[in-house]
Amino acid sequence: IVCLPTLAVAPLSELVGRFRAMHPGVTVRVREPADAEAATDAVRQADAEVGLVELVEPGRPAAGLASVSLGAQEYVALVPPDVAEALSARHATVADLAHLPLIAPPRGTSSRRVIDEAFEAVGRHPSIAVETDHREAIASLVEAGAGVALVPRAVAVRAASPAAVVVELEPRLSRRIGLIFRPDGLSPAARAFLAIAEPGRPAG
């Protein structure tokens, strides 16, 4: 499986856990691609059987590939406590965050595209304070007071602490995610994995 880093916590962990419970003799190898395009290329070139990616156009995967939709991945804000207090509520708009220092992944990543498009939609530009490839460090940077971050809800919930407060976004910010795969030549293990992700799909 090749998986975008922001999808590794959820839904990948749950899917792999369910798969391993049903097929304990199968080894699952998870790779992180350089970017979304590299993930698609890995599946198309048979370097990986399944890719967990953003479905930019649900129902219309990349040429030669099929897809299974896994629904929406919602983003929320993770902010230091003083910012949460200044917002006077646990809800904020993207425009409310435009003047705040933002911690973000680098340009070219699918998460950065989601963030940039969210600010563009409200006619604002994000104030990038820290740009990092290290997604696992983003919550720690928020706790240290380096800025605020827009992250998937599953990441925010796990990272929430007195020093990193979850703030809901209004309107909601989300993206469609799913699995991509080559429709022909899948191994029995890959077919079984897809069957777990899409109930009703034949496993054999």
Side-chain angles (χ1 to χ4, degrees):
I1 301 170
V2 59
C3 176
L4 295 179
T6 46
L7 301 177
V9 172
L12 182 65
S13 295
E14 179 186 355
L15 289 173
V16 170
R18 287 164 55 195
F19 176 81
R20 286 280 303 143
M22 296 176 65
H23 306 282
V26 178
T27 298
V28 179
R29 294 182 177 87
V30 181
R31 294 174 43 204
E32 179 180 328
D35 52 34
E37 184 177 354
T40 301
D41 288 343
V43 176
R44 184 183 287 117
Q45 295 167 12
D47 292 328
E49 288 198 276
V50 178
L52 180 50
V53 298
E54 176 184 6
L55 300 181
V56 179
E57 295 185 77
R60 297 183 60 189
L65 302 179
S67 67
V68 171
S69 176
L70 297 178
Q73 181 189 52
E74 186 180 4
Y75 278 68
V76 297
L78 195 63
V79 307
D82 60 324
V83 173
E85 185 177 346
L87 291 171
S88 302
R90 293 296 171 88
H91 294 80
T93 67
V94 170
D96 291 333
L97 306 177
H99 69 286
L100 298 172
L102 186 70
I103 303 161
R107 289 187 179 277
T109 62
S110 61
S111 290
R112 179 61 178 271
R113 183 192 61 77
V114 170
I115 292 168
D116 287 345
E117 288 183 356
F119 281 97
E120 182 180 345
V122 297
R124 307 295 293 273
H125 295 285
S127 301
I128 304 297
V130 180
E131 189 175 83
T132 177
D133 283 317
H134 298 287
R135 318 296 174 85
E136 67 279 4
I138 289 178
S140 296
L141 286 164
V142 173
E143 289 184 319
V148 305
L150 297 180
V151 296
R153 178 180 293 281
V155 173
V157 168
R158 285 169 172 79
S161 72
V165 180
V166 177
V167 173
E168 303 286 338
L169 294 175
E170 293 183 347
R172 293 174 63 180
L173 176 62
S174 65
R175 63 176 175 173
R176 307 296 298 180
I177 61 171
L179 301 170
I180 57 172
F181 57 95
R182 300 180 310 283
D184 300 320
L186 288 174
S187 69
R191 290 197 297 271
F193 184 83
L194 291 170
I196 288 174
E198 185 181 35
R201 170 180 288 273

